[in-house]
Amino acid sequence: MESFQWLSSLFTNTSSVAHIALLYAIVIAVGVYLGKIKVLGISLGVTFVLFTGIIAGHIFHYYGMEAAPTDILTFIQDFGLILFVFMIGLQVGPGFFESFGKAGVKLNGLAAVAILLNILVMFACYYIFFDTNNPSTLPMMVGTLYGAVTNTPGLGAANEALVSVFGANAPQIASAYACAYPLGVLGIIGAIVLTRYICKIKLEKEEKRLAAMEETSANKKPFKMHLEVTNKYLEGKTLLQVHNFLNRDFVVSRLVHAGELCIPNRDTVFHVGDQMLIVCAEADHEAIMAFIGPMIDIDFQQQDQPLVSKRILITNPEINGKSMASMHFSSVYGVNVTRLTRHGIDLFASAGLPLQVGDKIMVVGPEDAVDRVATKMGNSVKRLNAPNIATIFVGIFLGIIFGSLPFIPGMPLMKLGIAGGPLIVAILIGRYGYKIRLVTYTTTSANMMLREIGLVLFLASVGIKAGAGFFETVMEGDGLLYVLTGFLITVIPILIIGPIARWKFKFNYFTIAGMLAGTYTDPPALAYSNSICSREAPALGYSTVYPLSMFLRILTAQLIVLFFCG
């Protein structure tokens, strides 16, 4: 038996590094694998790590042992939360402020109202169903709220705020979160489906309506057309003069005059009969065509043998933040940039558009000139794949300091903490970091990896700490009430906001479904919404409200605790 003492000590010597590493490895691995199992087509994903952590914590408690030292569990939990929310902020930062377009303001407004309704329903359930004289009841309801809306960062923010209020005796709200979470996932999808029947929506008609809307909508997608100059007013005018007169962004990437092909620049003179390839924003193409001349059929491929078109990847940090105009592609390099791809989305390369590391630009011109631009831009996938670790930890450093500052003078507990501070700093760095020469680009896989590592460390820690009293809470306490109230918190706001979005604002059902999934930051609901629509409307609705919703979920978690649980 002595030969196996080393194995026994791995599970019983709870203060050893080997035991703690083994504990986390088992909890996370088992949780991730179990989270892939689908029930009714729905899986809980990495959130199942929380449940395996609870079971592990309960087993150690049952045998009268501590799973791991509390201070170590708390450190890993908090560090995981910081890493998780910071990477979320970096991801949503570039599109955070751009999401407030004309339709975006309405969608984000509806999302904000839904978040407020979640909180109001929580308080209503608290006063109707629970003993308000018990000081731990309201914190447990906050845990129920974030389980019901399937928002783990909000749980982390609330947990961190509770520690600042209660200290070491903070309630283990993960128990209530775990009770409400599974039915929350089902409730979100079920309420989205029910909204469809309440509003009497036919999916086939919505698909046709969406197709018609996409055909007529004016957006910033690049539009390519071949035109012939027929407007006599343009005879002898330079490209710059035409551009200034129209007051619209467009790029002439090729021009044929008297049978000769050239790459035009700002001083190129227009003549009647010239033929050209123009790239512009889709919304502007009709106005440009009406001013210059009609579309024609011309095969530039037969004439532009000396010219090449090439996608170039921006990896040179010195380019970060510079505008298209400041690069003087046409006048200095003799090439034209016709469009830009950022985060998989094609954008028209307007003069004021700032370039960022990770962007891809379409460059047209003589091969040697295009190669010079590629050298200037970097165009090195290998360099791009190298992680910008310094930016991440500089941001975390600034986020922790910012989160530690009281935002109401004289009230030291009123601060954003280690969840809200890094999130806001990450959003700002993700959007404006290029202005101070911070390279914020990370590949999608790198961002997801760091994010998931932070999330599973947080969930495992919370679950292990909550496991000691979880089953007593569920079986002997108010566990079933948490499940019921969580379901009400989930469903009621959706059944109010969904019909309003349809009847009042006339949004397409698929956009509404994506918006509701984004408001609850719930990937399974987005997956369902995508499965019933062949177009991008659900994903666009989701991505439009996701940044603000995530921010509000985290912020309101702390505000509820600091204002009402103190």
Side-chain angles (χ1 to χ4, degrees), residues 166-459:
F166 292 95
N169 297 319
Q172 295 296 324
I173 63 173
S175 299
Y177 175 93
C179 289
Y181 188 94
L183 206 56
V185 174
L186 295 174
I188 295 168
I189 296 174
I192 290 174
V193 173
L194 190 55
T195 299
R196 183 175 110 207
Y197 290 102
I198 292 174
C199 298
K200 299 179 180 178
I201 293 170
K202 301 291 185 182
L203 295 184
E204 298 81 6
K205 289 184 178 179
E206 287 298 287
E207 190 93 28
K208 292 178 181 178
R209 180 168 169 251
L210 184 61
M213 289 171 60
E214 289 183 354
E215 287 177 2
T216 58
S217 64
N219 51 49
K220 282 292 182 182
K221 290 182 179 179
F223 186 88
K224 185 166 64 175
M225 57 186 174
H226 302 93
L227 301 182
E228 181 174 343
V229 179
T230 57
N231 184 353
K232 295 180 180 180
Y233 170 81
L234 301 184
E235 180 68 37
K237 299 292 190 300
T238 65
L239 176 57
L240 179 62
Q241 290 174 319
V242 175
H243 190 279
N244 291 340
F245 183 84
L246 266 174
N247 196 29
R248 297 172 189 265
D249 279 325
F250 65 91
V251 174
V252 181
S253 64
R254 298 169 175 84
L255 185 143
V256 175
H257 173 69
E260 293 186 4
L261 180 71
C262 69
I263 296 292
N265 57 40
R266 57 189 293 166
D267 299 318
T268 299
V269 177
F270 278 32
H271 300 282
V272 173
D274 286 352
Q275 299 171 333
M276 60 190 68
L277 174 59
I278 288 181
V279 181
C280 62
E282 191 175 34
D284 296 333
H285 85 277
E286 290 185 356
I288 294 171
M289 183 174 64
F291 185 69
I292 293 177
M295 284 192 186
I296 58 171
D297 289 326
I298 180 171
D299 188 2
F300 279 107
Q301 300 296 327
Q302 298 298 320
Q303 305 183 48
D304 65 356
Q305 296 305 312
L307 306 181
V308 296
S309 299
K310 187 175 182 180
R311 283 190 177 273
I312 294 174
L313 186 63
I314 299 177
T315 60
N316 183 358
E318 294 181 1
I319 305 300
N320 213 35
K322 291 186 177 182
S323 68
M324 290 287 301
S326 69
M327 294 304 300
H328 305 292
F329 287 109
S330 176
S331 57
V332 174
Y333 295 96
V335 301
N336 280 328
V337 177
T338 59
R339 62 184 180 274
L340 179 146
T341 303
R342 178 174 296 163
H343 301 300
I345 300 173
D346 281 342
L347 302 173
F348 172 63
S350 60
L353 185 67
L355 298 170
Q356 295 182 13
V357 171
D359 290 347
K360 287 183 179 179
I361 53 175
M362 176 63 79
V363 180
V364 180
E367 187 170 5
D368 59 341
V370 171
D371 289 341
R372 285 196 295 271
V373 172
T375 301
K376 178 68 175 176
M377 297 297 106
N379 202 35
S380 171
V381 175
K382 184 177 180 181
R383 180 190 292 182
L384 197 61
N385 286 336
N388 296 297
I389 294 293
T391 297
I392 294 172
F393 283 96
V394 166
I396 290 175
F397 168 76
L398 295 174
I400 291 173
I401 292 178
F402 181 65
S404 301
L405 297 174
F407 55 84
I408 297 180
M411 299 182 67
L413 292 180
M414 295 302 297
K415 55 187 179 181
L416 293 173
I418 61 171
L423 175 72
I424 293 177
V425 169
I427 289 173
L428 294 175
I429 287 178
R431 178 61 181 87
Y432 299 109
Y434 66 85
K435 292 182 179 290
I436 55 175
R437 302 303 179 191
L438 277 179
V439 179
T440 60
Y441 178 84
T442 56
T443 62
T444 302
S445 59
N447 184 293
M448 287 296 294
M449 174 64 78
L450 289 173
R451 208 165 93 184
E452 293 294 282
I453 289 174
L455 178 58
V456 295
L457 289 176
F458 168 77
L459 289 172

